Amino acid sequence: MVSSMVSIPGYDITKEIYNGSRTLVYRGYRETDSLPVVIKLLKNSYPSFSELLQFRNQYTIAKNLNSSAIVQTYSLEAYQNGYALVMEDFGGISLKDYFASYQTLDIGSLQEFLQIAIALCDALNILIHHRIIHKDIKPANILINPETKEVKLIDFSIASLLPRETQILMSPNVLEGTLGYLSPEQTGQSDRDQLAELNLLAGQKAKLSTAYTNAIEYICCGIQLLRTDSWQQQYSLTLALYEEAASAAYLMGQFDQVEEFVEQVQQHAKVLKDRVKSIEIQIQSYLAQSRFDDSIRTAIAPKLSNCYAVKPPFL
């Protein structure tokens, strides 16, 4: 687990403000300009692939929402085996804690109630304009500054970007978010396949333009949109997304992520030829790290040595 006495390069941490089952949140300052910030970390010292993808998802979706009704995200930075999400600090606390601490559960005045309600409507209007389903709007994910009464929405970790909705009944077992706060859209299966394909195409185009950061963000958004059984129901799309993700990660020098993406392909590929492209990317990654023994062992693995489109020089 991450220590409560956390040290993050470039930031002066002053206080832990949230300690949950999966994440930790700290308040502090950016050292370069003394800007007040809130930093969110994964609690798991060795997060799973899905945890990392979900964590990146909230940054990818929220970073373009330039609205006073949404907590602004400043950066997503590598931290230990995961990420640190750096956000604005406007002195807010959760609406849940505000009601509890300030004993305003009965709403002291109609004016205060309307101010909060209008602010939330403004936030929802921004999400609708950007075709975003938050999936977990609840008092714990709504912040309010006790002094100024400024209200902002947070936490886009399970949010989705959707162009349109097709209402097909889903099993309650696969719904995301908090059951008591589900939006109507979440009870229907959305047309995620098309959007995942669009993200794949956008990622491929960005990669060809050497915009590797944008490429990995598009592709990871596409992966996030896949269903839990995508390797069975959307095999070709899922394979293409993970292959492109491994390639983009390699081009960015994110070698740990290369291994994670390649591992997904190796676990789920149906036939040998579907494994080859990702293995070639893995070999290139090892060579870039001067891990020559690993590259050779990978290249001469049983049943692989005769399958390369371009043979490694040592074969």
Side-chain angles (χ1 to χ4, degrees), residues 133-148:
I133 299 177
H134 185 282
K135 296 186 182 178
D136 206 18
I137 295 177
K138 58 185 179 182
N141 287 334
I142 300 166
L143 301 185
I144 182 171
N145 183 302
E147 303 300 325
T148 66

Side-chain angles (χ1 to χ4, degrees), residues 262-298:
V262 169
E263 180 63 25
Q264 290 292 315
V265 175
Q266 298 309 301
Q267 288 181 3
H268 297 96
K270 293 180 178 179
V271 294
L272 181 60
K273 67 180 181 65
D274 289 344
R275 299 172 57 196
V276 173
K277 182 177 178 179
S278 64
I279 287 295
E280 289 179 340
I281 296 169
Q282 182 70 85
I283 292 171
Q284 292 170 349
S285 174
Y286 285 149
L287 292 173
Q289 300 172 76
S290 299
R291 294 171 58 180
F292 302 118
D293 290 345
D294 288 331
S295 66
I296 293 172
R297 277 193 293 269
T298 303

Side-chain angles (χ1 to χ4, degrees), residues 26-311:
Y26 296 90
R27 179 167 275 138
Y29 297 89
R30 192 163 59 190
E31 293 177 352
T32 55
D33 54 7
S34 299
L35 178 72
V37 295
V38 168
I39 301 178
K40 184 177 182 180
L41 304 174
L42 285 167
K43 196 169 186 179
N44 189 350
S45 298
Y46 297 94
S48 66
F49 176 79
S50 60
E51 286 178 308
L52 291 171
L53 197 62
Q54 193 175 84
F55 206 76
R56 178 186 280 273
N57 183 64
Q58 60 188 310
Y59 170 72
T60 302
I61 290 180
K63 70 173 184 175
N64 295 319
L65 297 177
N66 297 317
S67 167
S68 60
I70 309 293
V71 167
Q72 296 300 292
T73 55
Y74 294 142
S75 62
L76 182 69
E77 304 180 13
Y79 177 74
Q80 294 183 355
N81 299 302
Y83 296 113
L85 179 63
V86 183
M87 302 170 284
E88 72 167 313
D89 181 8
F90 73 105
I93 63 174
S94 74
L95 202 60
K96 178 181 178 180
D97 291 341
Y98 176 71
F99 286 153
S101 301
Y102 290 81
Q103 299 180 344
T104 58
L105 187 57
D106 295 327
I107 305 299
S109 69
L110 179 61
Q111 181 180 4
E112 182 180 48
F113 169 79
L114 290 175
Q115 285 177 341
I116 295 172
I118 291 170
L120 290 176
C121 287
D122 288 342
L124 291 174
N125 183 55
I126 294 295
L127 300 189
I128 291 170
H129 178 74
H130 286 84
R131 293 188 175 277
I132 293 172
I133 299 177
H134 185 282
K135 296 186 182 178
D136 206 18
I137 295 177
K138 58 185 179 182
N141 287 334
I142 300 166
L143 301 185
I144 182 171
N145 183 302
E147 303 300 325
T148 66
K149 309 304 181 188
E150 186 177 15
V151 175
K152 293 177 183 280
L153 189 61
I154 60 167
D155 198 350
F156 289 80
S157 57
I158 61 173
S160 289
L161 289 161
L162 298 175
R164 65 177 183 269
E165 295 296 324
T166 302
Q167 296 299 323
I168 302 174
L169 187 62
M170 288 179 64
S171 165
N173 295 326
V174 298
L175 293 175
E176 298 176 291
T178 304
L179 187 59
Y181 296 94
L182 289 178
S183 63
E185 305 97 298
Q186 289 172 254
T187 60
Q189 175 59 54
S190 61
D191 188 5
R192 295 189 174 196
D193 296 5
Q194 183 181 12
L195 187 58
E197 290 176 0
L198 291 174
N199 274 280
L200 172 60
L201 291 173
Q204 290 171 331
K205 184 175 180 180
K207 192 178 72 169
L208 288 173
S209 302
T210 68
Y212 301 136
T213 299
N214 291 335
I216 193 70
E217 288 177 357
Y218 282 126
I219 295 165
C220 284
C221 274
I223 292 174
Q224 184 71 23
L225 289 166
L226 295 173
R227 306 175 192 181
T228 55
D229 61 349
S230 65
W231 283 106
Q232 289 74 43
Q233 302 299 324
Q234 305 158 285
Y235 178 78
S236 296
L237 174 60
T238 305
L239 177 64
L241 280 165
Y242 277 98
E243 287 178 340
E244 289 295 335
S247 176
Y250 162 70
L251 292 168
M252 292 181 65
Q254 296 180 354
F255 301 124
D256 288 343
Q257 283 201 326
V258 171
E259 294 195 23
E260 292 171 358
F261 291 128
V262 169
E263 180 63 25
Q264 290 292 315
V265 175
Q266 298 309 301
Q267 288 181 3
H268 297 96
K270 293 180 178 179
V271 294
L272 181 60
K273 67 180 181 65
D274 289 344
R275 299 172 57 196
V276 173
K277 182 177 178 179
S278 64
I279 287 295
E280 289 179 340
I281 296 169
Q282 182 70 85
I283 292 171
Q284 292 170 349
S285 174
Y286 285 149
L287 292 173
Q289 300 172 76
S290 299
R291 294 171 58 180
F292 302 118
D293 290 345
D294 288 331
S295 66
I296 293 172
R297 277 193 293 269
T298 303
I300 63 176
K303 299 183 181 180
L304 282 178
S305 58
N306 294 322
C307 297
Y308 299 105
V310 177
K311 286 184 179 291

